[in-house]
């Protein structure tokens, strides 16, 4: 699935319907997306296809995604937040 992603499109899709998610995903895209490996970029793009309710539940740790790649990119995002 590895392909080159259009950053502006990825950034746009990082904007969600919930402010709580916007505050996580937009800054992550701005600061880290371009430095991710191709596989992690693919996982981030796939993560953005999820419903906001699922993203919020995963972010808050109420549930975890079944896809290991999505769980991995969420961990990367969380780690990037703790290092700021």
């Amino acid at each position: 699935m590895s392909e080159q992603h259009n950053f502006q499109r990825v950034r746009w899709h990082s904007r969600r319907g919930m402010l709580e998610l916007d505050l996580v995903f937009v800054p992550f895209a701005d600061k880290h997306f371009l430095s991710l490996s191709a596989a992690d970029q693919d996982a981030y793009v796939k993560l953005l296809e999820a419903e906001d309710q699922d993203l919020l539940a995963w972010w808050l740790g109420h549930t975890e995604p079944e896809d290991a790649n999505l769980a991995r990119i969420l961990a990367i995002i969380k780690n990037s937040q703790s290092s700021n």
Side-chain angles (χ1 to χ4, degrees):
M1 180 177 160
S2 184
E3 61 184 55
Q4 187 166 3
H5 299 286
N6 178 301
F7 175 71
Q8 292 302 323
R9 180 175 289 231
V10 169
R11 189 178 189 288
W12 176 258
H13 288 289
S14 295
R15 296 179 63 210
R16 309 304 299 185
M18 296 180 170
L19 177 61
E20 297 87 343
L21 296 175
D22 286 351
L23 295 173
V24 171
F25 293 111
V26 173
F28 179 80
D30 287 343
K31 294 178 185 174
H32 303 286
F33 181 77
L34 294 175
S35 64
L36 294 173
S37 69
D40 288 340
Q41 285 184 0
D42 289 345
Y44 183 75
V45 169
K46 186 174 179 183
L47 180 71
L48 295 178
E49 295 172 1
E51 297 292 328
D52 284 355
Q53 295 82 0
D54 292 333
L55 288 172
L56 187 62
W58 296 339
W59 182 253
L60 296 175
H62 297 294
T63 61
E64 288 201 17
E66 292 179 14
D67 185 325
N69 291 322
L70 297 184
R72 183 179 183 299
I73 195 67
L74 277 168
I76 291 169
I77 295 168
K78 286 181 180 185
N79 287 337
S80 77
Q81 292 243 314
S82 64
S83 66
N84 288 337

